[in-house]
Amino acid sequence: MQRTYKTGTCADRQSQSMSTRSMSTRSMSTRFDTKIAVLLREDLETWQRLNVTAFLVSGLGSRVPELIGEPYEDADGVAYLPMFRQPVLVFEGTEETLTAAHTRALSRALPRALFTGDLFSTGHDDANRAAVRAVPTADLDLVGLAVHGPRNAVDKVLKGARMHP
């Protein structure tokens, strides 16, 4: 799985369904048996979308170490940190879509990370964990969810979501 994953333009992705997109990119790239996906609530500001995505994927990399590739090095021998071995697909959906996806991810016991609205007002990691711990699962104000697992399981979790523009 050393080949580079390439996607088409944003317009190309938006004009295709999830299954059509998967088939069209498959011919251009390595097909992975698993999928890394981030689902964002559609009403987030741009800065929030970027921040939530970064936080969420960091959680997956820490729990599923086989997702991380080897370190990079440029032609001058300067070293860079390793990254995911496969693409991260970013989706968006309504609050209801996100809640349903969370429920399905839990029922399938997929590795997952979450970001709640409360985390926008905390200032550090301990406060983040305390904010999540204080709220029962059914009452979480979900704004983002990252999942990793078999392609078909992740596709089922994301039912109703659409590719992020």
Side-chain angles (χ1 to χ4, degrees), residues 83-156:
M83 297 184 284
F84 286 124
R85 294 178 182 267
Q86 66 186 87
V88 176
L89 303 174
V90 182
F91 296 83
E92 68 175 8
T94 63
E95 182 178 344
E96 294 77 18
T97 301
L98 194 56
T99 299
H102 181 246
T103 300
R104 290 190 290 262
L106 291 173
S107 72
R108 287 172 172 74
L110 293 177
R112 63 206 167 271
L114 67 91
F115 199 101
T116 67
D118 296 330
L119 302 186
F120 289 124
S121 61
T122 58
H124 55 86
D125 193 44
D126 290 337
N128 289 349
R129 283 194 306 280
V132 173
R133 191 179 307 111
V135 181
T137 304
D139 297 330
L140 290 168
D141 177 24
L142 297 169
V143 298
L145 177 71
V147 295
H148 170 258
R151 293 180 65 80
N152 61 346
V154 172
D155 287 345
K156 288 176 183 173

Side-chain angles (χ1 to χ4, degrees), residues 1-8 13 18 21-32 34-36 72 84-90 151 163:
M1 301 207 182
Q2 298 297 321
R3 293 179 16 180
T4 303
Y5 181 87
K6 302 286 184 192
T7 60
R13 288 192 315 267
M18 191 166 24
R21 255 191 311 280
S22 296
M23 289 172 28
S24 67
T25 58
R26 193 177 312 141
S27 62
M28 299 178 351
S29 65
T30 300
R31 174 153 166 96
F32 295 92
T34 62
K35 184 180 275 188
I36 301 170
Y72 288 75
F84 286 124
R85 294 178 182 267
Q86 66 186 87
V88 176
L89 303 174
V90 182
R151 293 180 65 80
M163 282 296 280

Side-chain angles (χ1 to χ4, degrees), residues 10 13-14 38 40 49 53 90-92 162-165:
C10 184
R13 288 192 315 267
Q14 295 221 349
V38 173
L40 302 171
R49 291 170 185 259
T53 300
V90 182
F91 296 83
E92 68 175 8
R162 60 192 173 280
M163 282 296 280
H164 190 280

